[in-house]
Amino acid sequence: MKHAPDPSSMDSSDSSQTIFMSRPEGLARILALDDTASGLWTSEELSAIWQHQLSAPVQADLGAINSTAATQLKNSSEADPFWTKTFAELFDHPHPPVGLLNLVKEFAKKTLKESDDGQLNEVARALYYASYAAGMVRCGKKIGSFNDDELKPGYNWALKQPWLDERTKKLISEARDLLKTEKDS
């Protein structure tokens, strides 16, 4: 992700596990939907950044993550064919590896924690919800601990972003349609 922190500069004592462990309060703060971005970038520029992220090879961003789960995934035969694919190809695949989608989600969460750029955080937040949506739609699994009532506002936020492409919006819309509401319970 453009302007993301250099993973090699992270303290290795916490980089192997902290991105996979977040208390609900911390995750809610990271994914806060009412944060207003600094407004330095236009919708067209955010769209270009998003398109750049979707066209980047998965390995470019995820290859530098150092954790036990990431290492196991990098060495798995299931994920091996996907390392050269782009984020768009991963999200569009009919059955992407759940572990790889989870790693994308964790990468986005890590970016949200470490970046001070509000608009870069918007792109990371969209990546987070797109990976969650791909897990639900393509694999029939939630890749995190959010329940339906916690996911719905995030999906609704993503669908309102004018810079998000139509394929991603369709994926997120399909995931939102799979959510149970309080009325369904």
Side-chain angles (χ1 to χ4, degrees), residues 145-158:
S145 60
F146 273 3
N147 66 37
D148 291 358
D149 290 333
E150 294 167 322
L151 280 171
K152 190 172 184 173
Y155 286 161
N156 288 339
W157 169 86

Side-chain angles (χ1 to χ4, degrees), residues 53-91:
Q53 183 65 48
L54 288 179
S55 66
V58 168
Q59 186 175 22
D61 284 327
L62 305 184
I65 294 178
N66 294 316
S67 72
T68 303
T71 301
Q72 289 172 345
L73 192 60
K74 291 173 192 174
N75 295 325
S76 79
S77 59
E78 177 191 26
D80 189 51
F82 289 87
W83 286 107
T84 57
K85 293 193 180 299
T86 65
F87 284 89
E89 290 170 322
L90 177 67
F91 293 152

Side-chain angles (χ1 to χ4, degrees), residues 21-130:
M21 297 168 36
S22 289
R23 296 187 49 85
E25 307 82 44
L27 196 52
R29 181 186 52 77
I30 291 167
L31 293 168
L33 301 175
D34 58 353
D35 279 353
T36 54
S38 60
L40 296 176
W41 296 340
T42 66
S43 183
E44 291 79 20
E45 290 168 322
L46 282 170
S47 178
I49 293 168
W50 178 250
Q51 288 303 317
H52 175 77
Q53 183 65 48
L54 288 179
S55 66
V58 168
Q59 186 175 22
D61 284 327
L62 305 184
I65 294 178
N66 294 316
S67 72
T68 303
T71 301
Q72 289 172 345
L73 192 60
K74 291 173 192 174
N75 295 325
S76 79
S77 59
E78 177 191 26
D80 189 51
F82 289 87
W83 286 107
T84 57
K85 293 193 180 299
T86 65
F87 284 89
E89 290 170 322
L90 177 67
F91 293 152
D92 287 343
H93 194 274
H95 195 75
V98 172
L100 195 54
L101 292 174
N102 191 49
L103 196 58
V104 172
K105 178 183 66 79
E106 296 304 329
F107 166 74
K109 187 186 339 179
K110 179 179 180 289
T111 301
L112 284 162
K113 284 181 181 179
E114 296 178 357
S115 175
D116 292 330
D117 185 319
Q119 289 178 305
L120 178 61
N121 284 349
E122 286 189 20
V123 173
R125 191 174 290 122
L127 189 64
Y128 181 93
Y129 286 111

